[in-house]
Amino acid sequence: MITFKINDKEVQGEEGQYLIQVAEKYGIEIPTLCHHKALDPAGMCRICTVELFDGRRTKFVTACNYPIWEGMEIKTETEAVHQGRKLIVEMLYARCPEVPLLKKLAQQYKIETPRFKKEDDDCILCGLCVRMCERMGNSAINFTGRGINLRIDTSLGLQSDVCMACGACASVCPTGHITLEKIKKKFTKQNPFMIPSEYEMGLKGRKPVYVPYAQAVPNTPAIDRDVCMHFKTGGCGVCSDICQMDAIDYTMKDEIIELDAGAVILSPGFKPFDPSKFDNYGYANHPNVMTAMEFERILSASGPTSGHLVRMSDHKEPKKIAWFQCVGSRDMNKCDNKYCSSVCCMYALKEAVIAKEHAGDKLDCTIFYMDMRTHGKDFERYYNRAQDQGVRFVRSRVHTVEPLHDSDDLRITYVTDGGKKVDEIFDMIILSIGLEISPEVVDMAKKLGIELTDGNFAKTSTFKPVETSRKGIFVAGAFQGPKDIPQAVVDSSAAAGEAGAILAESRNTITKIPEIVPETNIIGDRPRIGVFICKCGTNIAGVVNVPEVRDYAATLPFVEYYSDNLYSCSQDTQTTMTQIIKANKLNRIVVAACTPKTHEPLFQETLINAGLNKYLFEMTNIRNHASWVHKDAPALATQKAKDLVRMAVAKVALMEPLKETELQVNQVAMVIGGGISGLSSAKTLAQQGYEVHVVEKDSVLGGQANHLYHTYKDENISVELASLIKDVKSNKNICLHLNTTLENVQGFVGNFKSELLDNHKVSKTLEHGVAIIATGARAFKPEEYLYGKDERIITSLDLDKKFLSKDASLKSIGSAVFIQCVGSREPNRPYCSRVCCTHSIDNALELKKINPEMDIFILYRDIRTYGEREYKYQQAREAGIIFIRYDLDHKPEVDIKNGKIFITVTDHVLGRPILIEADLLTLATAIVPNKDEKLANFFKVPLNEDGFFVERHAKLGPSEFATDGVFLCGLAHYPKPIDEAIAHGQAAASRAVTLLAKETVHTSGNVASVNSMACSSCGVCISICPYSAPSFATQGRFEGRAEINPVLCKGCGLCVASCRSGAIHLKGFDTNQIFAQIFAMNEAV
Amino acid sequence: MGNLLEHMGIERDRINFSWISSAEATKFVEVVKEISNKVRALGPNKKLVKDYN
Amino acid sequence: MDEKNIKIVAFLCNWCSYGAADLAGVSRMQYPTDIRVIRIPCTGRLSPKFVLSAFREGADAIWVSG
C-alpha cells in the first residue's frame, strides 16, 4: 500500500497503479481525453497534467501514466495546472472547432474563440482507436504520416482485410471522427453489421456481452462466442480485466449433462412466423411493414423507441396503421400453416387499442381480417370496446402492398364485402404473424419418438390433453397447439400435475433439510444495528459515493457495525455477514442495496443463519431508486442514499422479532362438481396420494359430457367418460358424495369445515385443507327461432342425443340448417361460448356421413375454429357445406308455413335475402354459468358480470382464486371444450398439490394485530377488510372486541389506518416505524 | 385530505395521489417529474414545519 | 433550504408503485433526486397523520401512490 497526498488529502493506492486510478477511487476528477481503463495509458492528450511536489521542487506530470510513489504530493487544481489545460483545450478546439466535446470543454475553460487558426479536423489524435484496435488483436489501423500530416488510417490507406469491422475503435472515439459508416467505407473490406437484439426483434443492436433483457432470470450476462472478438483473434479480454469478481472464463465449454428423470415435460414454445417469404407484403424490403412482434417492442416503454409510437423509416408519428390478420395462418397456398394461430386476433386488437392510447384518438387503426376470433374469457367485451373506441374492422384479405415513390407510405388494394375494389394509403402496416413450430423442435420430437400432428404440434388426445404419444413425456404450451397465455399456464400446471402423479411415490426422496440455527432472544436488548452498504459492482458505487455513505451510517444512533460490500448478495458475502452478525452481537440489520422485492428473502435467510429473527431487518433501495435513476447527479444521489439509510436505521431500531404462525394443512381435498373437469381433478389428486371427496348435486357423474356425442378428433365421448368414471370409482383415495349439496363452509386455507347435505336430508361435516370449485355450466334454452314450437327445431345437444341414440330419422333429412351464436355474443350476454362453431361443423360433417346428399347450411357471424380445429372447417367446406354469414342487425328469421320450416337470411355476398327450407334446424346455443352466489359467498370468491367465477389472475392464475386454498376449473371458469376442461381440472389439482405437499403453511409475520384493551368494538375493521381477517371475539375476556386471524391477514394495513382507537398494529409497518422514517427524513446531517 | 391541507394553508399541489401499476415505469417517472416541477415552482413549504426554537 | 434541495416524501405501495420505481431503475430512466420513498404494504395503510407529520418534518410535498 502506498500512501501519498492529493490536494492535501491523504490517499492510498496499490503498488504499480497510476495516479489517475487512485484519484478516480477517491472521486477526484482529473480531465482526460485519451485515457481508457481497458487500455494502457499513452499520455497523448496531456489534459490530465497535474502538479507534483517531490519534496524538493514541483513539476508537471500526466496523471494517466505516472506511477504513484510513497510520500508524493499532488495538486490537481492549481492555477498553473488550469492554465496548462486551458492552452491544450484551446489548441484542440482550434483544430476541431465543430466537435461537441471540445465545444463543451472550451466553454468550461471560458474560451470564446481560439487564438489559433481554425481548422476543420475532427480527430484529436488521442490514439484510443489505435490502442483499442491493437487490443482487439487486429492492429488494422495506426498512425500514418508525419508532423502535421499525422492521421489515423489503415495500412496504405486501403480498405483492409485485417479490419473485421468490430467497431471497437468507433466505440472509444471521443470526437466522432471514427464512425461505423467510416469503417464501412474506408477501413474494412467486410460488411459491418449490427448484432441484432433478439429481445428487441432486431430493431435494435446489442453487444457481444449481453443480458438478453432487463428482467431475464438469471440476470447474468453471457458472451456471444460467434461475434466476440476474443474468440476470433484471441485479443480483447477487456471484460475479464474489468470484472472485479473474476467471473469470466473464456475456456468454458458446452457441457453435456445427464439427468435421471422419471418424467419429461416439453415446453419448447413456438417460433413467430417469418413473413419475408411473402414478397407481396414487402416485409423484407420496407421498414414500415413490420410484424406484430416488432410492433410490440415499439409500443413498449423499454423498447427501441422508449414507447414512442413512430414508424421506422423516418421516425414520423403514424396517422394510419393497418393490421393484416392470418399472415402465416389459415393459409394453404403460400405457406403450409393450415391451422389458425388462435392468438393473433386478440393481440392485434390489443395493439390497436394501445396504439390509440399512445398516439391519441385520432390515430386511424384498421384491422383487415377473415373472421374475428375473440373466443377467450372477456375477449369479446374487449372486441366490442375496441369497436366503440373507433378501431376499424374490414373483413377482407389484402393482396398486395405497394410502396409509394414520393414518400414512405404504403398503398394497399382490397375488395370490400360488397365486392368493391378500394385503394387506401397507410403509414404503417403490421403483419399479424402466426405461431409455428421451429424445425429444431420437430427434430427434437423425432429424437424423442413422439408423434406430431399435421401442423407439427405434439399429438395429444382429448382425454389426455397434456400427454404425448410416449408414456412419461408430457407437453405444455404452444407446442401442444397454438394458444394464449392463460391456456398455456393451465397446460403447464396440468403437465406438472400429471408428471407428479406418476412420480408420487418418490416425492421428497431427494430433499435436503437445512440445519436450523436456534434463534437468539433479543427482547429487551438495546439495539445493535449493523449497516451493510452494497456497491453492486459499479452499479451503485459508480454514482453514489459508497465510502461516504458508509462512514455516514457510522454516525447514526445505535449503529455498532458498518461496512461496504462489492456484491452483498454473493454467497461469500452472505457467509461473512453471518459471521459479522454473530461476532458483533448485532440484533438489527440494514442492507442498503437493490430492491427488497427480489432480495429481501435472501438477506432474511442470512439473518436466520446468524440466529436472528428474520424481521429484525430493513432493506433500503439505493440502486433502483438512487444510483440508476440519478446517474448525472452523483452528489445528490449520495445525499439521497444517506437519507434513505438514515430512514432505514430509524425504522429498524423499532423492529421486533415477529412470529410466523405455523399451520397444519389438512391433507384432504374437496372437489365440488362431478363433471368431467372435477373428476379429472379428483383423479389427479388421488393419484398423487391425497384423499379426495367429490360432491355432486346430481345422481350421476359426468355432467354435461353425458350429453355429448364425439370430439372433433372423432373420439367417442361416452366410452372415454365411462373409463374416467370407472377410474374414479375404483380409486380408494376418492370418496363420492352423490345427490349432495354444500350447505355451509367455515374456516380458511388448510382447515376448512364444510357441511354436506344429501337427498335424505342427512348432513355431515367434511374437514378438508383445500377446495376445488368445478360446478360447471349449462346449455342455454333459447326463446327465439321458434325453439320449442316444432320438434325439428332443436339445440346442438339435442342433435348429439339423436346421434347417440342412432336416430333413424336423420337419414331422411334432405336439408339441415345450423344457426350459430344463439344466446352468445348478444348485448345481454357479451361473450363467445367458444365451443359451438367446432361443434356445429363437426355435427354437420356427421350428418354428411349419414347422408352425403344432404344440403347443409351453417349461418354464422364469425367462424371460430381456433387452432387445429380449423382443419374441420376446411373439411366442411370441401364437403360442400354452405356457410352464410349474418350480422347481429340482420339475424336469420325462422318461419313455419304449411308444416315446413323456412329460414330467411341475407347473404353477405349477394346482399339479398335468401330463403332456405329446412328439415332440421339446429341452434348452437350458448353455455351459461350457474351463477352460484351462495357458493361464491362460502369461499369469498368473486363472480363476474356474466356469472362465471373470477380467477386469481386472468393470465397467470387461471386455476386458482385469490382466496388461498380455493381452486377452480372447467366451465365454471368459462366455456371450454373437453380437452381444455380436463387440462383445467388437472391444473387445479396440481395447484392444490403445491399447497397440500407443504403440509404446513407459514403465515407472514407482517400482519395486523389488535390491542384488545384499546378496541372500542366499532367494527370498522371488520367491514373494511377485503380478506375477512378481523372478527368479533366470541368468547373470553375480550368478547365482542375485534380480533384478527393472522392466517387470513395479508398485511395491507387498511384496518390499521381505519381504526379510530389506534388499537390495531401492523407488525413490520407499524405506525411508530413509519413515523420514525418520517422523522428521520429531515434530520440535520 | 387535499381540502384539509388547503384549509391549513398548504397548497393543493403539495399533496399528490396517483395509481401506477408495477409495469408502468414510464408513468412513474412522468409523475415524479411532474410533482417535482410543481413543487419547485411553489418553493419550499413553510407551513406546519416544526419550529425547533 | 435552497430551491435545489426540496424533499418530496413518497408513500409507495409495495406491490404497485414501488415495483414501478424498481422498474424505472432497471430501465435506467432518469428523474429528479427529490423524492424519498417510504415503502408501505398498501396505500390503505396510510393515515392522514403520516401526511401531516411529514409536512411537520419539513417535507415540501407528499406523494401517495398505489
Side-chain angles (χ1 to χ4, degrees):
Chain A
M1 200 56 87
I2 293 170
T3 311
F4 63 100
K5 279 182 179 166
I6 301 182
N7 298 342
D8 298 324
K9 188 182 160 195
E10 203 158 272
V11 294
Q12 284 188 320
E14 306 279 342
E15 172 91 48
Q17 273 188 317
Y18 296 112
L19 185 49
I20 203 164
Q21 292 171 300
V22 181
E24 196 190 325
K25 186 175 126 192
Y26 285 89
I28 299 160
E29 215 174 304
I30 298 175
T32 172
L33 292 171
C34 71
H35 181 69
H36 190 283
K37 60 183 167 186
L39 299 173
D40 288 333
M44 298 293 283
C45 74
R46 320 302 292 179
I47 268 188
C48 65
T49 302
V50 294
E51 201 176 292
L52 163 76
F53 180 67
D54 61 8
R56 288 186 298 160
R57 62 182 154 213
T58 48
K59 57 179 181 179
F60 294 99
V61 296
T62 43
C64 68
N65 62 354
Y66 191 80
I68 55 170
W69 47 269
E70 189 73 37
M72 67 184 197
E73 286 176 32
I74 299 292
K75 293 237 163 49
T76 65
E77 294 294 338
T78 65
E79 184 52 32
V81 165
H82 193 78
Q83 283 302 328
R85 284 184 195 156
K86 183 172 174 176
L87 181 64
I88 296 166
V89 170
E90 191 175 358
M91 288 197 285
L92 289 174
Y93 183 43
R95 180 183 165 88
C96 312
E98 294 307 317
V99 170
L101 173 76
L102 291 168
K103 277 187 185 167
K104 199 176 151 199
L105 273 173
Q107 216 173 14
Q108 202 179 324
Y109 285 92
K110 300 193 171 59
I111 303 164
E112 275 168 20
T113 25
R115 290 166 290 170
F116 312 104
K117 192 182 148 213
K118 275 195 183 183
E119 291 169 52
D120 61 350
D121 210 323
D122 56 1
C123 174
I124 56 168
L125 299 169
C126 64
L128 275 171
C129 52
V130 174
R131 279 176 285 149
M132 193 47 108
C133 191
E134 190 185 346
R135 172 106 208 217
M136 291 299 128
N138 268 354
S139 292
I141 49 171
N142 211 328
F143 288 105
T144 66
R146 300 172 67 177
I148 55 162
N149 290 325
L150 191 68
R151 63 197 157 88
I152 307 289
D153 211 337
T154 53
S155 165
L156 302 176
L158 298 172
Q159 278 180 300
S160 151
D161 283 325
V162 182
C163 172
M164 298 168 84
C166 70
C169 50
S171 76
V172 290
C173 179
T175 62
H177 174 65
I178 300 181
T179 58
L180 293 175
E181 203 51 32
K182 181 163 184 176
I183 298 172
K184 193 173 172 180
K185 283 199 183 128
K186 293 260 172 79
F187 289 172
T188 186
K189 279 189 177 168
Q190 298 188 8
N191 191 19
F193 63 93
M194 177 183 78
I195 308 166
S197 157
E198 291 83 353
Y199 179 62
E200 298 291 356
M201 296 289 141
L203 297 175
K204 216 173 158 181
R206 64 153 167 83
K207 294 179 176 182
V209 182
Y210 70 111
V211 179
Y213 46 94
Q215 295 90 344
V217 178
N219 209 297
T220 317
I223 298 177
D224 183 345
R225 282 183 288 196
D226 293 336
V227 290
C228 168
M229 286 304 283
H230 178 77
F231 288 91
K232 288 181 175 171
T233 66
C236 190
V238 171
C239 54
S240 164
D241 279 1
I242 285 179
C243 177
Q244 295 169 354
M245 296 305 282
D246 282 333
I248 292 168
D249 175 5
Y250 298 113
T251 62
M252 276 165 89
K253 290 267 179 312
D254 293 344
E255 278 178 83
I256 292 180
I257 300 170
E258 276 188 32
L259 292 174
D260 280 331
V264 178
I265 296 173
L266 306 176
S267 52
F270 67 90
K271 179 173 91 62
F273 178 79
D274 176 8
S276 357
K277 58 177 151 184
F278 293 168
D279 20 326
N280 54 333
Y281 291 144
Y283 169 72
N285 308 320
H286 207 291
N288 295 339
V289 180
M290 52 173 31
T291 69
M293 289 288 267
E294 290 165 346
F295 193 64
E296 287 277 321
R297 298 310 306 150
I298 299 286
L299 291 176
S300 167
S302 64
T305 60
S306 306
H308 191 54
L309 177 50
V310 290
R311 63 181 191 183
M312 291 321 271
S313 73
D314 50 7
H315 281 76
K316 199 184 98 179
E317 289 181 6
K319 300 266 180 303
K320 279 181 87 173
I321 309 179
W323 278 259
F324 294 177
Q325 297 306 107
C326 302
V327 177
S329 312
R330 300 181 69 187
D331 185 353
M332 284 173 289
N333 304 324
K334 286 182 286 185
C335 71
D336 294 328
N337 298 342
K338 290 189 286 179
Y339 53 82
C340 158
S341 291
S342 301
V343 300
C344 331
C345 283
M346 204 53 209
Y347 76 56
L349 266 174
K350 177 201 72 176
E351 288 184 350
V353 168
I354 295 179
K356 277 175 102 71
E357 274 172 19
H358 279 227
D361 249 356
K362 280 194 188 137
L363 180 72
D364 181 336
C365 295
T366 309
I367 298 180
F368 292 88
Y369 71 105
M370 303 208 293
D371 292 282
M372 214 54 207
R373 295 189 167 172
T374 49
H375 47 269
K377 191 174 185 176
D378 288 332
F379 288 4
E380 186 75 16
R381 273 203 172 79
Y382 198 91
Y383 176 31
N384 292 339
R385 209 157 54 227
Q387 284 171 309
D388 294 345
Q389 286 172 359
V391 176
R392 197 151 59 101
F393 292 86
V394 179
R395 198 185 289 262
S396 182
R397 195 148 188 163
V398 182
H399 182 261
T400 312
V401 174
E402 181 199 342
L404 293 184
H405 294 299
D406 48 352
S407 73
D408 291 341
D409 300 347
L410 302 143
R411 190 209 321 267
I412 65 167
T413 310
Y414 61 92
V415 179
T416 64
D417 241 4
K420 218 175 87 191
K421 206 174 131 207
V422 181
D423 268 358
E424 228 184 306
I425 292 166
F426 285 91
D427 295 321
M428 275 175 101
I429 303 228
I430 316 296
L431 305 178
S432 294
I433 47 168
L435 280 49
E436 62 182 14
I437 299 302
S438 74
E440 293 83 23
V441 174
V442 174
D443 274 354
M444 177 187 76
K446 269 188 203 138
K447 273 186 214 149
L448 291 171
I450 61 169
E451 283 177 45
L452 299 180
T453 65
D454 289 350
N456 278 339
F457 299 100
K459 198 171 191 169
T460 54
S461 83
T462 299
F463 295 88
K464 288 180 174 152
V466 293
E467 201 173 313
T468 67
S469 60
R470 186 166 168 189
K471 213 170 162 30
I473 300 187
F474 301 92
V475 59
F479 182 37
Q480 194 270 337
K483 61 189 60 169
D484 58 6
I485 294 171
Q487 199 56 41
V489 171
V490 164
D491 272 10
S492 60
S493 294
E498 291 311 281
I502 59 173
L503 302 176
E505 274 177 36
S506 44
R507 183 182 298 139
N508 291 340
T509 49
I510 50 173
T511 315
K512 282 185 201 150
I513 297 167
E515 197 188 327
I516 295 165
V517 182
E519 196 173 300
T520 324
N521 182 8
I522 59 113
I523 292 176
D525 292 356
R526 189 178 185 276
R528 293 177 61 84
I529 303 174
V531 182
F532 297 86
I533 318 278
C534 183
K535 290 183 178 164
C536 197
T538 54
N539 277 314
I540 293 171
V543 177
V544 171
N545 187 334
V546 171
E548 200 182 313
V549 178
R550 177 199 62 202
D551 295 340
Y552 171 72
T555 65
L556 296 171
F558 302 114
V559 172
E560 300 291 339
Y561 182 87
Y562 53 94
S563 75
D564 50 21
N565 309 113
L566 188 55
Y567 290 101
S568 300
C569 56
S570 69
Q571 191 58 50
D572 53 326
T573 314
Q574 298 296 296
T575 318
T576 323
M577 271 174 76
T578 314
Q579 287 157 359
I580 291 170
I581 294 171
K582 283 182 181 163
N584 294 282
K585 295 196 167 51
L586 302 177
N587 58 19
R588 306 282 193 286
I589 304 299
V590 169
V591 173
C594 51
T595 170
K597 287 177 80 84
T598 56
H599 279 70
E600 195 172 54
L602 177 83
F603 292 114
Q604 289 187 326
E605 190 74 34
T606 307
L607 261 70
I608 293 169
N609 288 336
L612 276 185
N613 182 286
K614 73 176 192 188
Y615 292 97
L616 299 167
F617 174 71
E618 179 69 13
M619 198 168 170
T620 191
N621 196 339
I622 60 169
R623 188 184 73 180
N624 301 41
H625 295 181
S627 70
W628 274 354
V629 289
H630 309 312
K631 66 167 183 266
D632 300 325
L636 287 172
T638 304
Q639 184 53 47
K640 181 172 178 179
K642 285 183 189 173
D643 287 354
L644 290 173
V645 168
R646 185 177 61 241
M647 287 157 74
V649 167
K651 181 179 176 190
V652 84
L654 296 168
M655 285 288 190
E656 280 167 25
L658 300 181
K659 261 196 18 218
E660 295 185 340
T661 324
E662 194 182 86
L663 203 79
Q664 297 297 315
V665 176
N666 189 333
Q667 300 287 292
V668 176
M670 175 171 77
V671 176
I672 310 154
I676 203 157
S677 192
L679 292 181
S680 305
S681 196
K683 186 179 159 187
T684 301
L685 280 164
Q687 282 175 331
Q688 298 235 23
Y690 295 101
E691 183 184 331
V692 190
H693 292 260
V694 178
V695 180
E696 168 59 51
K697 63 172 190 271
D698 217 337
S699 58
V700 288
L701 294 172
Q704 298 294 349
N706 284 312
H707 311 303
L708 296 170
Y709 176 50
H710 73 189
T711 70
Y712 85 97
K713 292 178 182 167
D714 287 339
E715 296 135 317
N716 186 314
I717 293 172
S718 37
V719 172
E720 297 284 349
L721 179 62
S723 139
L724 175 65
I725 291 174
K726 199 179 131 215
D727 285 351
V728 167
K729 281 187 172 161
S730 62
N731 194 313
K732 59 179 187 340
N733 283 337
I734 301 178
C735 179
L736 297 169
H737 305 266
L738 295 177
N739 297 312
T740 303
T741 54
L742 190 63
E743 291 304 312
N744 197 13
V745 178
Q746 282 186 331
F748 42 83
V749 54
N751 296 282
F752 290 106
K753 263 188 201 153
S754 296
E755 199 186 309
L756 307 180
L757 189 72
D758 68 11
N759 50 345
H760 305 297
K761 300 286 167 216
V762 179
S763 116
K764 60 184 153 191
T765 305
L766 175 67
E767 293 191 7
H768 55 106
V770 297
I772 295 177
I773 294 180
T775 46
R778 58 202 157 77
F780 173 66
K781 289 277 172 232
E783 283 171 1
E784 53 187 339
Y785 301 128
L786 304 180
Y787 178 73
K789 303 276 189 302
D790 190 301
E791 59 178 17
R792 289 166 299 172
I793 302 176
I794 59 174
T795 67
S796 298
L797 286 184
D798 298 333
L799 182 57
D800 272 33
K801 245 177 251 166
K802 284 183 193 283
F803 288 134
L804 280 167
S805 62
K806 299 202 164 49
D807 191 327
S809 68
L810 291 175
K811 266 203 176 126
S812 55
I813 292 170
S815 160
V817 174
F818 291 82
I819 299 179
Q820 298 303 109
C821 300
V822 179
S824 305
R825 303 180 64 196
E826 295 270 354
N828 61 340
R829 210 174 287 107
Y831 62 86
C832 163
S833 293
R834 196 171 172 108
V835 302
C836 344
C837 283
T838 314
H839 196 177
S840 292
I841 288 173
D842 204 29
N843 282 352
L845 282 167
E846 194 63 27
L847 288 173
K848 273 276 180 196
K849 246 191 251 170
I850 293 171
N851 175 10
E853 300 303 310
M854 197 186 295
D855 292 327
I856 301 178
F857 302 86
I858 295 184
L859 316 184
Y860 71 102
R861 287 169 60 193
D862 290 277
I863 288 290
R864 294 183 166 175
T865 45
Y866 58 95
E868 292 191 293
R869 288 167 172 82
E870 181 72 11
Y871 305 159
K872 278 276 161 183
Y873 181 28
Q874 280 149 11
Q875 211 182 318
R877 281 181 307 186
E878 280 158 20
I881 292 166
I882 296 162
F883 288 84
I884 301 172
R885 203 178 67 236
Y886 73 90
D887 60 49
L888 197 54
D889 301 328
H890 305 90
K891 282 163 71 168
E893 280 162 31
V894 181
D895 249 337
I896 301 176
K897 268 187 205 149
N898 305 328
K900 288 178 176 170
I901 303 171
F902 291 99
I903 297 122
T904 318
V905 62
T906 306
D907 182 86
H908 59 92
V909 180
L910 303 172
R912 289 218 302 255
I914 49 172
L915 192 70
I916 309 165
E917 189 193 330
D919 300 324
L920 181 73
L921 172 62
T922 308
L923 307 176
T925 52
I927 293 177
V928 289
N930 291 323
K931 206 168 186 174
D932 197 338
E933 278 168 5
K934 199 170 86 172
L935 186 64
N937 255 331
F938 285 163
F939 289 105
K940 300 176 185 77
V941 294
L943 290 167
N944 72 9
E945 291 167 74
D946 302 319
F948 293 107
F949 284 103
V950 180
E951 61 276 36
R952 181 176 65 80
H953 190 286
K955 306 284 168 218
L956 303 174
S959 323
E960 63 254 45
F961 285 106
T963 309
D964 286 341
V966 192
F967 303 87
L968 124 125
C969 61
L971 300 189
H973 161 263
Y974 189 69
K976 50 176 68 79
I978 291 182
D979 47 356
E980 291 171 14
I982 292 177
H984 207 195
Q986 293 169 339
S990 173
R991 298 303 303 147
V993 168
T994 60
L995 190 66
L996 291 169
K998 275 196 263 184
E999 295 180 10
T1000 55
V1001 282
H1002 288 264
T1003 61
S1004 164
N1006 296 121
V1007 291
S1009 69
V1010 183
N1011 173 6
S1012 308
M1013 295 295 282
C1015 175
S1016 63
S1017 306
C1018 69
V1020 170
C1021 53
I1022 295 170
S1023 61
I1024 207 169
C1025 179
Y1027 308 102
S1028 315
S1031 59
F1032 288 122
T1034 48
Q1035 55 190 9
R1037 210 175 122 213
F1038 294 111
E1039 192 181 332
R1041 307 256 170 107
E1043 59 182 11
I1044 290 171
N1045 184 340
V1047 182
L1048 297 179
C1049 179
K1050 302 259 179 198
C1052 72
L1054 212 52
C1055 53
V1056 188
S1058 72
C1059 181
R1060 55 193 68 177
S1061 317
I1064 308 181
H1065 297 278
L1066 180 60
K1067 298 166 184 169
F1069 289 98
D1070 209 352
T1071 312
N1072 62 348
Q1073 291 170 330
I1074 295 177
F1075 272 134
Q1077 277 180 294
I1078 297 170
F1079 293 155
M1081 176 198 65
N1082 200 32
E1083 245 167 48
V1085 178
Chain B
M1 192 72 218
N3 294 343
L4 170 70
L5 290 170
E6 223 163 4
H7 179 71
M8 297 165 96
I10 289 179
E11 297 88 338
R12 190 63 189 76
D13 278 351
R14 291 197 192 274
I15 174 99
N16 299 275
F17 298 92
S18 65
W19 284 266
I20 302 172
S21 101
S22 60
E24 296 175 319
T26 324
K27 184 173 172 195
F28 179 86
V29 173
E30 278 165 16
V31 177
V32 176
K33 286 182 179 160
E34 183 198 320
I35 296 175
S36 177
N37 288 337
K38 279 197 301 194
V39 180
R40 273 161 199 265
L42 286 173
N45 177 39
K46 301 234 162 48
K47 291 279 160 55
L48 219 71
V49 183
K50 190 155 66 182
D51 189 355
Y52 287 95
N53 303 316
Chain C
M1 208 184 287
D2 61 309
E3 212 212 352
K4 268 187 184 165
N5 216 353
I6 60 168
K7 271 181 186 167
I8 302 168
V9 177
F11 293 96
L12 302 189
C13 160
N14 182 32
W15 309 106
C16 309
S17 298
Y18 196 88
D22 280 353
L23 190 62
V26 172
S27 314
R28 307 294 197 281
M29 295 171 180
Q30 301 295 311
Y31 56 81
T33 55
D34 313 329
I35 67 161
R36 299 292 178 268
V37 174
I38 294 181
R39 185 166 69 117
I40 52 173
C42 169
T43 45
R45 174 70 192 88
L46 197 82
S47 135
K49 285 190 284 186
F50 295 143
V51 175
L52 295 178
S53 129
F55 276 125
R56 198 167 144 70
E57 293 301 324
D60 299 302
I62 311 292
W63 177 27
V64 181
S65 191

